[in-house]
Amino acid sequence: MKLVILTALGVGGATVLGGIIGFAFKSISRRFSDIVLAFAAGVMLAAAVLGLILPSVEYGGKLGLFYAISGIFTGAVCLNLIDRLVPHMHHLVGGDTEPHHGNANLNKVLLFVTAIAIHNLPEGIAAGVSFGSDNTSEALLIAGGIALQNIPEGMVIIAPMLAAGISPRRTFLCALVTGLIEVVGTLLGYFAVTLATAILPFALAFAGGTMLYVISDEMIPETHSHGDESGATYALLVGFCVMLISDVLLG
């Protein structure tokens, strides 16, 4: 349990660390942002496939493929519904924002925090669920991958929030809150599979599905929308290979 708590703090703290780095480099270029986000997408993709979805098939036995496929689509649909129903504002590089229904009645800071939370909560759950497999090295690898991609994600959200008129103090508090959300998600995922180990195969795939949804719906389109698609593609491949190498060496 102590290891899970430390891991939760590490995963959430990585977002805060990225935010601190973002304050140090407030004028991050679009190209650099696209590269680091694409690298983060590659890390997430490898973590989702190698650390969550494939183990789901393995732990599910004869029904492993069924658990994996149903879990992937359930996770993606749930995140899609949250994305549609919860009023929020996507944090785009350069300070641009994407309007959503209901935004006019909510504070800008809350909208930013809500948008980030929609994506950080399932990441935390993925880290927590992975500990239910009793494969500590695999769980730490997934958590490490999520933490690794949280650093650049934390970096690139600072500049748009400052550009939107949010004070540095409130911007840092938002980064802190999003980190805490990931801590909560990690603990929720861990306790869910601990209390009901029978749901582990489905839970692993569910977490993987939410991560795949974020990668495809948000991260890849964002990194390919500013004219540096080739660089972003190779950055994603590097991120994937970093996790692949780590999985082979530590597995």
mmCIF file with all atom_site columns, all heavy atoms in Angstrom, residues 70-91:
data_model
loop_
_atom_site.group_PDB
_atom_site.id
_atom_site.type_symbol
_atom_site.label_atom_id
_atom_site.label_alt_id
_atom_site.label_comp_id
_atom_site.label_asym_id
_atom_site.label_entity_id
_atom_site.label_seq_id
_atom_site.pdbx_PDB_ins_code
_atom_site.Cartn_x
_atom_site.Cartn_y
_atom_site.Cartn_z
_atom_site.occupancy
_atom_site.B_iso_or_equiv
_atom_site.pdbx_formal_charge
_atom_site.auth_seq_id
_atom_site.auth_comp_id
_atom_site.auth_asym_id
_atom_site.auth_atom_id
_atom_site.pdbx_PDB_model_num
ATOM 1   N N   . SER A 1 70 ? -14.165 -5.383 -25.017 1.00 0.00 ? 70 SER A N   1
ATOM 2   C CA  . SER A 1 70 ? -15.281 -4.702 -24.358 1.00 0.00 ? 70 SER A CA  1
ATOM 3   C C   . SER A 1 70 ? -14.769 -3.602 -23.434 1.00 0.00 ? 70 SER A C   1
ATOM 4   O O   . SER A 1 70 ? -15.357 -2.512 -23.350 1.00 0.00 ? 70 SER A O   1
ATOM 5   C CB  . SER A 1 70 ? -16.132 -5.699 -23.573 1.00 0.00 ? 70 SER A CB  1
ATOM 6   O OG  . SER A 1 70 ? -15.370 -6.367 -22.582 1.00 0.00 ? 70 SER A OG  1
ATOM 7   N N   . GLY A 1 71 ? -13.658 -3.852 -22.748 1.00 0.00 ? 71 GLY A N   1
ATOM 8   C CA  . GLY A 1 71 ? -13.100 -2.841 -21.859 1.00 0.00 ? 71 GLY A CA  1
ATOM 9   C C   . GLY A 1 71 ? -12.590 -1.634 -22.609 1.00 0.00 ? 71 GLY A C   1
ATOM 10  O O   . GLY A 1 71 ? -12.809 -0.486 -22.196 1.00 0.00 ? 71 GLY A O   1
ATOM 11  N N   . ILE A 1 72 ? -11.921 -1.867 -23.726 1.00 0.00 ? 72 ILE A N   1
ATOM 12  C CA  . ILE A 1 72 ? -11.395 -0.761 -24.539 1.00 0.00 ? 72 ILE A CA  1
ATOM 13  C C   . ILE A 1 72 ? -12.525 0.156  -24.994 1.00 0.00 ? 72 ILE A C   1
ATOM 14  O O   . ILE A 1 72 ? -12.464 1.387  -24.849 1.00 0.00 ? 72 ILE A O   1
ATOM 15  C CB  . ILE A 1 72 ? -10.626 -1.303 -25.760 1.00 0.00 ? 72 ILE A CB  1
ATOM 16  C CG1 . ILE A 1 72 ? -9.307  -1.932 -25.315 1.00 0.00 ? 72 ILE A CG1 1
ATOM 17  C CG2 . ILE A 1 72 ? -10.371 -0.188 -26.775 1.00 0.00 ? 72 ILE A CG2 1
ATOM 18  C CD1 . ILE A 1 72 ? -8.601  -2.702 -26.411 1.00 0.00 ? 72 ILE A CD1 1
ATOM 19  N N   . PHE A 1 73 ? -13.578 -0.431 -25.567 1.00 0.00 ? 73 PHE A N   1
ATOM 20  C CA  . PHE A 1 73 ? -14.667 0.392  -26.092 1.00 0.00 ? 73 PHE A CA  1
ATOM 21  C C   . PHE A 1 73 ? -15.469 1.055  -24.969 1.00 0.00 ? 73 PHE A C   1
ATOM 22  O O   . PHE A 1 73 ? -15.918 2.198  -25.116 1.00 0.00 ? 73 PHE A O   1
ATOM 23  C CB  . PHE A 1 73 ? -15.588 -0.447 -26.988 1.00 0.00 ? 73 PHE A CB  1
ATOM 24  C CG  . PHE A 1 73 ? -15.079 -0.582 -28.390 1.00 0.00 ? 73 PHE A CG  1
ATOM 25  C CD1 . PHE A 1 73 ? -14.337 -1.691 -28.775 1.00 0.00 ? 73 PHE A CD1 1
ATOM 26  C CD2 . PHE A 1 73 ? -15.320 0.405  -29.321 1.00 0.00 ? 73 PHE A CD2 1
ATOM 27  C CE1 . PHE A 1 73 ? -13.847 -1.814 -30.063 1.00 0.00 ? 73 PHE A CE1 1
ATOM 28  C CE2 . PHE A 1 73 ? -14.850 0.298  -30.613 1.00 0.00 ? 73 PHE A CE2 1
ATOM 29  C CZ  . PHE A 1 73 ? -14.105 -0.814 -30.988 1.00 0.00 ? 73 PHE A CZ  1
ATOM 30  N N   . THR A 1 74 ? -15.642 0.358  -23.851 1.00 0.00 ? 74 THR A N   1
ATOM 31  C CA  . THR A 1 74 ? -16.358 0.962  -22.728 1.00 0.00 ? 74 THR A CA  1
ATOM 32  C C   . THR A 1 74 ? -15.593 2.162  -22.187 1.00 0.00 ? 74 THR A C   1
ATOM 33  O O   . THR A 1 74 ? -16.171 3.223  -21.914 1.00 0.00 ? 74 THR A O   1
ATOM 34  C CB  . THR A 1 74 ? -16.570 -0.058 -21.596 1.00 0.00 ? 74 THR A CB  1
ATOM 35  O OG1 . THR A 1 74 ? -17.265 -1.187 -22.106 1.00 0.00 ? 74 THR A OG1 1
ATOM 36  C CG2 . THR A 1 74 ? -17.374 0.560  -20.456 1.00 0.00 ? 74 THR A CG2 1
ATOM 37  N N   . GLY A 1 75 ? -14.276 2.018  -22.051 1.00 0.00 ? 75 GLY A N   1
ATOM 38  C CA  . GLY A 1 75 ? -13.454 3.127  -21.579 1.00 0.00 ? 75 GLY A CA  1
ATOM 39  C C   . GLY A 1 75 ? -13.507 4.316  -22.516 1.00 0.00 ? 75 GLY A C   1
ATOM 40  O O   . GLY A 1 75 ? -13.642 5.465  -22.082 1.00 0.00 ? 75 GLY A O   1
ATOM 41  N N   . ALA A 1 76 ? -13.416 4.050  -23.816 1.00 0.00 ? 76 ALA A N   1
ATOM 42  C CA  . ALA A 1 76 ? -13.453 5.132  -24.798 1.00 0.00 ? 76 ALA A CA  1
ATOM 43  C C   . ALA A 1 76 ? -14.802 5.826  -24.816 1.00 0.00 ? 76 ALA A C   1
ATOM 44  O O   . ALA A 1 76 ? -14.882 7.066  -24.852 1.00 0.00 ? 76 ALA A O   1
ATOM 45  C CB  . ALA A 1 76 ? -13.125 4.574  -26.185 1.00 0.00 ? 76 ALA A CB  1
ATOM 46  N N   . VAL A 1 77 ? -15.877 5.044  -24.768 1.00 0.00 ? 77 VAL A N   1
ATOM 47  C CA  . VAL A 1 77 ? -17.228 5.630  -24.786 1.00 0.00 ? 77 VAL A CA  1
ATOM 48  C C   . VAL A 1 77 ? -17.472 6.466  -23.532 1.00 0.00 ? 77 VAL A C   1
ATOM 49  O O   . VAL A 1 77 ? -18.036 7.566  -23.602 1.00 0.00 ? 77 VAL A O   1
ATOM 50  C CB  . VAL A 1 77 ? -18.299 4.523  -24.916 1.00 0.00 ? 77 VAL A CB  1
ATOM 51  C CG1 . VAL A 1 77 ? -19.688 5.086  -24.662 1.00 0.00 ? 77 VAL A CG1 1
ATOM 52  C CG2 . VAL A 1 77 ? -18.233 3.890  -26.304 1.00 0.00 ? 77 VAL A CG2 1
ATOM 53  N N   . CYS A 1 78 ? -17.040 5.969  -22.385 1.00 0.00 ? 78 CYS A N   1
ATOM 54  C CA  . CYS A 1 78 ? -17.225 6.721  -21.136 1.00 0.00 ? 78 CYS A CA  1
ATOM 55  C C   . CYS A 1 78 ? -16.504 8.058  -21.196 1.00 0.00 ? 78 CYS A C   1
ATOM 56  O O   . CYS A 1 78 ? -17.064 9.096  -20.810 1.00 0.00 ? 78 CYS A O   1
ATOM 57  C CB  . CYS A 1 78 ? -16.713 5.910  -19.947 1.00 0.00 ? 78 CYS A CB  1
ATOM 58  S SG  . CYS A 1 78 ? -17.803 4.575  -19.442 1.00 0.00 ? 78 CYS A SG  1
ATOM 59  N N   . LEU A 1 79 ? -15.280 8.054  -21.687 1.00 0.00 ? 79 LEU A N   1
ATOM 60  C CA  . LEU A 1 79 ? -14.536 9.313  -21.759 1.00 0.00 ? 79 LEU A CA  1
ATOM 61  C C   . LEU A 1 79 ? -15.145 10.237 -22.799 1.00 0.00 ? 79 LEU A C   1
ATOM 62  O O   . LEU A 1 79 ? -15.181 11.459 -22.612 1.00 0.00 ? 79 LEU A O   1
ATOM 63  C CB  . LEU A 1 79 ? -13.074 9.022  -22.097 1.00 0.00 ? 79 LEU A CB  1
ATOM 64  C CG  . LEU A 1 79 ? -12.085 10.099 -21.646 1.00 0.00 ? 79 LEU A CG  1
ATOM 65  C CD1 . LEU A 1 79 ? -12.181 10.333 -20.155 1.00 0.00 ? 79 LEU A CD1 1
ATOM 66  C CD2 . LEU A 1 79 ? -10.671 9.721  -22.036 1.00 0.00 ? 79 LEU A CD2 1
ATOM 67  N N   . ASN A 1 80 ? -15.650 9.673  -23.887 1.00 0.00 ? 80 ASN A N   1
ATOM 68  C CA  . ASN A 1 80 ? -16.313 10.477 -24.903 1.00 0.00 ? 80 ASN A CA  1
ATOM 69  C C   . ASN A 1 80 ? -17.570 11.145 -24.351 1.00 0.00 ? 80 ASN A C   1
ATOM 70  O O   . ASN A 1 80 ? -17.838 12.326 -24.622 1.00 0.00 ? 80 ASN A O   1
ATOM 71  C CB  . ASN A 1 80 ? -16.665 9.598  -26.103 1.00 0.00 ? 80 ASN A CB  1
ATOM 72  C CG  . ASN A 1 80 ? -17.365 10.356 -27.211 1.00 0.00 ? 80 ASN A CG  1
ATOM 73  O OD1 . ASN A 1 80 ? -18.505 10.069 -27.552 1.00 0.00 ? 80 ASN A OD1 1
ATOM 74  N ND2 . ASN A 1 80 ? -16.699 11.346 -27.773 1.00 0.00 ? 80 ASN A ND2 1
ATOM 75  N N   . LEU A 1 81 ? -18.344 10.406 -23.539 1.00 0.00 ? 81 LEU A N   1
ATOM 76  C CA  . LEU A 1 81 ? -19.548 10.978 -22.928 1.00 0.00 ? 81 LEU A CA  1
ATOM 77  C C   . LEU A 1 81 ? -19.188 12.100 -21.952 1.00 0.00 ? 81 LEU A C   1
ATOM 78  O O   . LEU A 1 81 ? -19.835 13.149 -21.922 1.00 0.00 ? 81 LEU A O   1
ATOM 79  C CB  . LEU A 1 81 ? -20.340 9.884  -22.205 1.00 0.00 ? 81 LEU A CB  1
ATOM 80  C CG  . LEU A 1 81 ? -21.053 8.872  -23.099 1.00 0.00 ? 81 LEU A CG  1
ATOM 81  C CD1 . LEU A 1 81 ? -21.682 7.773  -22.252 1.00 0.00 ? 81 LEU A CD1 1
ATOM 82  C CD2 . LEU A 1 81 ? -22.126 9.564  -23.944 1.00 0.00 ? 81 LEU A CD2 1
ATOM 83  N N   . ILE A 1 82 ? -18.146 11.856 -21.151 1.00 0.00 ? 82 ILE A N   1
ATOM 84  C CA  . ILE A 1 82 ? -17.706 12.903 -20.219 1.00 0.00 ? 82 ILE A CA  1
ATOM 85  C C   . ILE A 1 82 ? -17.253 14.136 -20.991 1.00 0.00 ? 82 ILE A C   1
ATOM 86  O O   . ILE A 1 82 ? -17.574 15.274 -20.640 1.00 0.00 ? 82 ILE A O   1
ATOM 87  C CB  . ILE A 1 82 ? -16.553 12.375 -19.339 1.00 0.00 ? 82 ILE A CB  1
ATOM 88  C CG1 . ILE A 1 82 ? -17.063 11.287 -18.399 1.00 0.00 ? 82 ILE A CG1 1
ATOM 89  C CG2 . ILE A 1 82 ? -15.938 13.509 -18.524 1.00 0.00 ? 82 ILE A CG2 1
ATOM 90  C CD1 . ILE A 1 82 ? -15.969 10.592 -17.614 1.00 0.00 ? 82 ILE A CD1 1
ATOM 91  N N   . ASP A 1 83 ? -16.535 13.912 -22.085 1.00 0.00 ? 83 ASP A N   1
ATOM 92  C CA  . ASP A 1 83 ? -16.038 15.003 -22.917 1.00 0.00 ? 83 ASP A CA  1
ATOM 93  C C   . ASP A 1 83 ? -17.181 15.834 -23.482 1.00 0.00 ? 83 ASP A C   1
ATOM 94  O O   . ASP A 1 83 ? -17.081 17.055 -23.632 1.00 0.00 ? 83 ASP A O   1
ATOM 95  C CB  . ASP A 1 83 ? -15.196 14.417 -24.052 1.00 0.00 ? 83 ASP A CB  1
ATOM 96  C CG  . ASP A 1 83 ? -14.167 15.402 -24.562 1.00 0.00 ? 83 ASP A CG  1
ATOM 97  O OD1 . ASP A 1 83 ? -13.737 16.262 -23.783 1.00 0.00 ? 83 ASP A OD1 1
ATOM 98  O OD2 . ASP A 1 83 ? -13.800 15.310 -25.747 1.00 0.00 ? 83 ASP A OD2 1
ATOM 99  N N   . ARG A 1 84 ? -18.288 15.169 -23.800 1.00 0.00 ? 84 ARG A N   1
ATOM 100 C CA  . ARG A 1 84 ? -19.435 15.866 -24.380 1.00 0.00 ? 84 ARG A CA  1
ATOM 101 C C   . ARG A 1 84 ? -20.325 16.531 -23.334 1.00 0.00 ? 84 ARG A C   1
ATOM 102 O O   . ARG A 1 84 ? -20.869 17.612 -23.576 1.00 0.00 ? 84 ARG A O   1
ATOM 103 C CB  . ARG A 1 84 ? -20.286 14.884 -25.197 1.00 0.00 ? 84 ARG A CB  1
ATOM 104 C CG  . ARG A 1 84 ? -19.648 14.414 -26.485 1.00 0.00 ? 84 ARG A CG  1
ATOM 105 C CD  . ARG A 1 84 ? -20.509 13.370 -27.177 1.00 0.00 ? 84 ARG A CD  1
ATOM 106 N NE  . ARG A 1 84 ? -19.948 12.962 -28.448 1.00 0.00 ? 84 ARG A NE  1
ATOM 107 C CZ  . ARG A 1 84 ? -20.191 13.565 -29.615 1.00 0.00 ? 84 ARG A CZ  1
ATOM 108 N NH1 . ARG A 1 84 ? -21.001 14.622 -29.646 1.00 0.00 ? 84 ARG A NH1 1
ATOM 109 N NH2 . ARG A 1 84 ? -19.642 13.130 -30.722 1.00 0.00 ? 84 ARG A NH2 1
ATOM 110 N N   . LEU A 1 85 ? -20.476 15.894 -22.187 1.00 0.00 ? 85 LEU A N   1
ATOM 111 C CA  . LEU A 1 85 ? -21.454 16.351 -21.205 1.00 0.00 ? 85 LEU A CA  1
ATOM 112 C C   . LEU A 1 85 ? -20.905 17.363 -20.210 1.00 0.00 ? 85 LEU A C   1
ATOM 113 O O   . LEU A 1 85 ? -21.654 18.203 -19.712 1.00 0.00 ? 85 LEU A O   1
ATOM 114 C CB  . LEU A 1 85 ? -22.021 15.151 -20.434 1.00 0.00 ? 85 LEU A CB  1
ATOM 115 C CG  . LEU A 1 85 ? -22.788 14.129 -21.265 1.00 0.00 ? 85 LEU A CG  1
ATOM 116 C CD1 . LEU A 1 85 ? -23.220 12.951 -20.399 1.00 0.00 ? 85 LEU A CD1 1
ATOM 117 C CD2 . LEU A 1 85 ? -24.017 14.775 -21.914 1.00 0.00 ? 85 LEU A CD2 1
ATOM 118 N N   . VAL A 1 86 ? -19.620 17.283 -19.899 1.00 0.00 ? 86 VAL A N   1
ATOM 119 C CA  . VAL A 1 86 ? -19.050 18.185 -18.899 1.00 0.00 ? 86 VAL A CA  1
ATOM 120 C C   . VAL A 1 86 ? -18.553 19.449 -19.580 1.00 0.00 ? 86 VAL A C   1
ATOM 121 O O   . VAL A 1 86 ? -17.692 19.380 -20.458 1.00 0.00 ? 86 VAL A O   1
ATOM 122 C CB  . VAL A 1 86 ? -17.881 17.509 -18.148 1.00 0.00 ? 86 VAL A CB  1
ATOM 123 C CG1 . VAL A 1 86 ? -17.269 18.484 -17.143 1.00 0.00 ? 86 VAL A CG1 1
ATOM 124 C CG2 . VAL A 1 86 ? -18.378 16.262 -17.439 1.00 0.00 ? 86 VAL A CG2 1
ATOM 125 N N   . PRO A 1 87 ? -19.072 20.622 -19.201 1.00 0.00 ? 87 PRO A N   1
ATOM 126 C CA  . PRO A 1 87 ? -18.599 21.874 -19.805 1.00 0.00 ? 87 PRO A CA  1
ATOM 127 C C   . PRO A 1 87 ? -17.124 22.077 -19.500 1.00 0.00 ? 87 PRO A C   1
ATOM 128 O O   . PRO A 1 87 ? -16.687 21.946 -18.360 1.00 0.00 ? 87 PRO A O   1
ATOM 129 C CB  . PRO A 1 87 ? -19.454 22.949 -19.111 1.00 0.00 ? 87 PRO A CB  1
ATOM 130 C CG  . PRO A 1 87 ? -20.629 22.212 -18.567 1.00 0.00 ? 87 PRO A CG  1
ATOM 131 C CD  . PRO A 1 87 ? -20.135 20.843 -18.214 1.00 0.00 ? 87 PRO A CD  1
ATOM 132 N N   . HIS A 1 88 ? -16.321 22.356 -20.540 1.00 0.00 ? 88 HIS A N   1
ATOM 133 C CA  . HIS A 1 88 ? -14.906 22.580 -20.329 1.00 0.00 ? 88 HIS A CA  1
ATOM 134 C C   . HIS A 1 88 ? -14.326 23.312 -21.517 1.00 0.00 ? 88 HIS A C   1
ATOM 135 O O   . HIS A 1 88 ? -15.002 23.603 -22.488 1.00 0.00 ? 88 HIS A O   1
ATOM 136 C CB  . HIS A 1 88 ? -14.186 21.235 -20.128 1.00 0.00 ? 88 HIS A CB  1
ATOM 137 C CG  . HIS A 1 88 ? -14.189 20.345 -21.332 1.00 0.00 ? 88 HIS A CG  1
ATOM 138 N ND1 . HIS A 1 88 ? -15.282 19.608 -21.713 1.00 0.00 ? 88 HIS A ND1 1
ATOM 139 C CD2 . HIS A 1 88 ? -13.219 20.086 -22.239 1.00 0.00 ? 88 HIS A CD2 1
ATOM 140 C CE1 . HIS A 1 88 ? -14.995 18.930 -22.799 1.00 0.00 ? 88 HIS A CE1 1
ATOM 141 N NE2 . HIS A 1 88 ? -13.753 19.196 -23.145 1.00 0.00 ? 88 HIS A NE2 1
ATOM 142 N N   . MET A 1 89 ? -13.052 23.646 -21.428 1.00 0.00 ? 89 MET A N   1
ATOM 143 C CA  . MET A 1 89 ? -12.369 24.376 -22.483 1.00 0.00 ? 89 MET A CA  1
ATOM 144 C C   . MET A 1 89 ? -11.049 23.682 -22.761 1.00 0.00 ? 89 MET A C   1
ATOM 145 O O   . MET A 1 89 ? -10.231 23.528 -21.859 1.00 0.00 ? 89 MET A O   1
ATOM 146 C CB  . MET A 1 89 ? -12.118 25.818 -22.031 1.00 0.00 ? 89 MET A CB  1
ATOM 147 C CG  . MET A 1 89 ? -11.504 26.729 -23.081 1.00 0.00 ? 89 MET A CG  1
ATOM 148 S SD  . MET A 1 89 ? -11.173 28.363 -22.379 1.00 0.00 ? 89 MET A SD  1
ATOM 149 C CE  . MET A 1 89 ? -12.840 28.890 -21.983 1.00 0.00 ? 89 MET A CE  1
ATOM 150 N N   . HIS A 1 90 ? -10.845 23.235 -23.984 1.00 0.00 ? 90 HIS A N   1
ATOM 151 C CA  . HIS A 1 90 ? -9.595  22.557 -24.310 1.00 0.00 ? 90 HIS A CA  1
ATOM 152 C C   . HIS A 1 90 ? -8.449  23.551 -24.259 1.00 0.00 ? 90 HIS A C   1
ATOM 153 O O   . HIS A 1 90 ? -8.565  24.673 -24.753 1.00 0.00 ? 90 HIS A O   1
ATOM 154 C CB  . HIS A 1 90 ? -9.676  21.958 -25.716 1.00 0.00 ? 90 HIS A CB  1
ATOM 155 C CG  . HIS A 1 90 ? -10.568 20.760 -25.776 1.00 0.00 ? 90 HIS A CG  1
ATOM 156 N ND1 . HIS A 1 90 ? -10.827 20.106 -26.952 1.00 0.00 ? 90 HIS A ND1 1
ATOM 157 C CD2 . HIS A 1 90 ? -11.258 20.101 -24.818 1.00 0.00 ? 90 HIS A CD2 1
ATOM 158 C CE1 . HIS A 1 90 ? -11.642 19.081 -26.723 1.00 0.00 ? 90 HIS A CE1 1
ATOM 159 N NE2 . HIS A 1 90 ? -11.917 19.067 -25.428 1.00 0.00 ? 90 HIS A NE2 1
ATOM 160 N N   . HIS A 1 91 ? -7.329  23.145 -23.665 1.00 0.00 ? 91 HIS A N   1
ATOM 161 C CA  . HIS A 1 91 ? -6.169  24.017 -23.546 1.00 0.00 ? 91 HIS A CA  1
ATOM 162 C C   . HIS A 1 91 ? -5.282  23.831 -24.770 1.00 0.00 ? 91 HIS A C   1
ATOM 163 O O   . HIS A 1 91 ? -4.529  22.880 -24.869 1.00 0.00 ? 91 HIS A O   1
ATOM 164 C CB  . HIS A 1 91 ? -5.380  23.726 -22.263 1.00 0.00 ? 91 HIS A CB  1
ATOM 165 C CG  . HIS A 1 91 ? -5.102  22.287 -22.023 1.00 0.00 ? 91 HIS A CG  1
ATOM 166 N ND1 . HIS A 1 91 ? -6.046  21.396 -21.580 1.00 0.00 ? 91 HIS A ND1 1
ATOM 167 C CD2 . HIS A 1 91 ? -3.958  21.561 -22.187 1.00 0.00 ? 91 HIS A CD2 1
ATOM 168 C CE1 . HIS A 1 91 ? -5.516  20.194 -21.460 1.00 0.00 ? 91 HIS A CE1 1
ATOM 169 N NE2 . HIS A 1 91 ? -4.252  20.266 -21.827 1.00 0.00 ? 91 HIS A NE2 1
#
